[in-house]
Amino acid sequence: MASMFTVLLLFVWCFSELHTGIGVQKLSREEDLELEKQLKLLNKPAVTTIKTIQGEKYGCVDFYKQPAFDHPALRNHSYYPEMRPSSYPKGIIYEESLTSHQPFNNIWKNGKGCPAGTVPMKKITKDHLIKARLATKIYAKTYEPLTIQEPGTHYTILYTNRGTGKKFNGGGMETAVYNPQPVTTSQYSSSQIKIANGGDSIEVGWTAGASRCFNTFCPGFVIVRQDIPLDQILEPISKRDERIYGKTLHIHRDPPNGNWWLDVDKNLTQVGFWPKHIFTGLADLATYVEWGGKAYSPPTIPSPSMGAGFRLEKDIFKDSFCRYVTTINEASEIVDATETSTYADVKEYDIVDAGFIKPHRHLIYYGGPGAHVGK
């Protein structure tokens, strides 16, 4: 298997104090011992082990022993009544994707995933945790468009305008899945949707790179599916001028209890949720939503490509894109995103808001060849 791959990405920053660090650095004895302690907490005992059709191993961990319940706010909680949302947003029907990935139950060699009462978890290594420090440093800030960000982080995004007074119960998109190249072990290139309120944010999407440094390292996300792993390899991948493969991702708030749910694919299958208890800002509705691309490279190394990896031609068969760009309003209705602006921070990447185009509804193109050096 090639060293570069695309995985379903999920991460959440919801704390005021986070670990700091950058890149793969030399650890002190104290730091090394702390990482060993974290590994013991994160790698839960598995009931059994299963494999995907790509040969990746997952441990099937008891539902209540998953890392989510290590979060102080979730201890001694019973979530079986909340295995499904109590309400669903209404509005836009997501039509057939351009093409689909394999059904989730077909990614497993056994054809079904983990046994009932367990959830799939991949073993976490010390190298994963070291690389996660880089992600923490980048994302442990309230994101404000048009302001200086962590050096080496680049954005091509559509975002909801500030000052409109709007609040959101979530948002969604269908994103074309590519494998931008080259991406080294110290880099990544992603497509994502983000919702935020104050210092709290939730971001989901796909990422290309040789480091799995996101996902459930930060406790709080409760997995409810036994057959859908969060960091799965996505195959097949879109090829420019050939077949395009898309992934529908959706975040919605369940107003009766305030939990935030992750839904995937056009049928909006519920994978799991972030309980309201772990948040401060997102204990209420979101005040900000964004869609598009993100790439990171140490400032001394040329940045990776983003999306399809070429200059934009405003063609869905040539460019990476997000379509069905939607928000969920205060009435829990799925609507096309409006009152938005675009932002790209360097000339090596770009974004075009194509507006409302049938059958794609609100459509954006983004990406670029990369190779930017410096801040």
Side-chain angles (χ1 to χ4, degrees):
M1 184 179 298
S3 60
M4 302 303 173
F5 47 76
T6 302
V7 300
L8 185 62
L9 159 72
L10 178 151
F11 51 101
V12 54
W13 303 119
C14 51
F15 305 101
S16 58
E17 294 183 5
L18 296 167
H19 297 292
T20 59
I22 186 164
V24 181
Q25 58 189 25
K26 186 175 181 180
L27 301 176
S28 67
R29 177 173 174 78
E30 291 75 15
E31 289 173 320
D32 190 69
L33 290 173
E34 176 61 27
L35 291 185
E36 292 287 352
K37 182 179 178 181
Q38 290 183 45
L39 286 175
K40 289 180 181 179
L41 289 173
L42 289 168
N43 287 316
K44 307 296 184 181
V47 174
T48 187
T49 300
I50 59 174
K51 289 184 178 181
T52 67
I53 58 177
Q54 292 99 350
E56 292 202 305
K57 292 182 180 179
Y58 283 81
C60 297
V61 175
D62 181 274
F63 176 84
Y64 280 111
K65 293 182 180 178
Q66 62 179 292
F69 297 109
D70 290 335
H71 193 291
L74 303 187
R75 291 171 185 162
N76 302 319
H77 278 76
S78 175
Y79 279 101
Y80 275 121
E82 299 175 17
M83 292 291 280
R84 292 183 179 180
S86 58
S87 65
Y88 297 86
K90 298 180 176 63
I92 294 170
I93 302 298
Y94 289 85
E95 298 177 4
E96 187 70 30
S97 298
L98 294 178
T99 54
S100 300
H101 291 288
Q102 302 157 336
F104 286 112
N105 60 355
N106 286 344
I107 72 170
W108 304 106
K109 283 191 173 181
N110 66 10
K112 58 184 179 181
C114 285
T118 67
V119 294
M121 302 291 300
K122 189 179 292 293
K123 184 177 180 180
I124 299 168
T125 68
K126 188 181 295 185
D127 186 52
H128 292 151
L129 292 181
I130 292 171
K131 290 171 181 175
R133 292 179 169 215
L134 171 60
T136 306
K137 184 177 179 65
I138 293 170
Y139 290 100
K141 297 182 178 182
T142 301
Y143 178 67
E144 294 283 349
L146 312 181
T147 63
I148 296 174
Q149 297 298 304
E150 187 65 28
T153 308
H154 304 291
Y155 302 86
T156 56
I157 59 168
L158 178 81
Y159 63 93
T160 54
N161 295 335
R162 304 286 188 178
T164 64
K166 286 186 176 180
K167 292 187 177 181
F168 308 97
N169 272 303
M173 66 178 183
E174 181 184 347
T175 175
V177 179
Y178 280 90
N179 192 4
Q181 299 290 338
V183 184
T184 71
T185 56
S186 61
Q187 300 173 320
Y188 68 83
S189 187
S190 302
S191 173
Q192 64 188 50
I193 177 174
K194 173 176 179 173
I195 64 168
N197 185 339
D200 291 349
S201 68
I202 296 171
E203 306 182 29
V204 299
W206 57 259
T207 188
S211 169
R212 301 181 181 204
C213 58
F214 303 103
N215 297 306
T216 53
F217 292 2
C218 185
F221 183 78
V222 180
I223 303 170
V224 301
R225 296 284 302 207
Q226 66 197 57
D227 57 342
I228 302 179
L230 297 174
D231 54 358
Q232 65 184 277
I233 293 177
L234 298 180
E235 292 183 343
I237 301 298
S238 301
K239 292 185 178 180
R240 196 168 187 257
D241 282 326
E242 297 182 27
R243 298 194 70 180
I244 306 301
Y245 292 88
K247 203 71 174 175
T248 298
L249 299 168
H250 202 261
I251 304 168
H252 84 267
R253 179 175 175 269
D254 190 6
N257 53 45
N259 297 335
W260 292 91
W261 283 83
L262 170 62
D263 312 320
V264 298
D265 288 342
K266 64 185 182 66
N267 295 325
L268 300 184
T269 300
Q270 288 79 48
V271 176
F273 64 95
W274 295 267
K276 174 183 178 179
H277 312 294
I278 69 174
F279 294 109
T280 52
L282 285 176
D284 194 2
L285 283 73
T287 55
Y288 174 82
V289 188
E290 72 177 44
W291 309 259
K294 184 180 293 186
Y296 171 79
S297 178
T300 57
I301 300 175
S303 63
S305 64
M306 182 190 293
F310 293 85
R311 295 291 181 186
L312 298 183
E313 297 186 36
K314 293 185 282 187
D315 183 332
I316 63 169
F317 293 102
K318 295 180 181 294
D319 301 328
S320 187
F321 62 87
C322 301
R323 66 174 191 162
Y324 286 104
V325 174
T326 58
T327 58
I328 304 175
N329 63 22
E330 293 187 66
S332 289
E333 299 166 329
I334 303 173
V335 297
D336 295 304
T338 59
E339 296 185 86
T340 55
S341 300
T342 59
Y343 171 70
D345 66 306
V346 293
K347 62 181 176 60
E348 288 80 3
Y349 306 111
D350 197 9
I351 181 168
V352 172
D353 182 3
F356 188 96
I357 298 178
K358 291 184 177 181
H360 312 294
R361 304 192 71 95
H362 197 161
L363 170 70
I364 62 172
Y365 301 102
Y366 74 93
H372 180 84
V373 179
K375 297 182 179 182

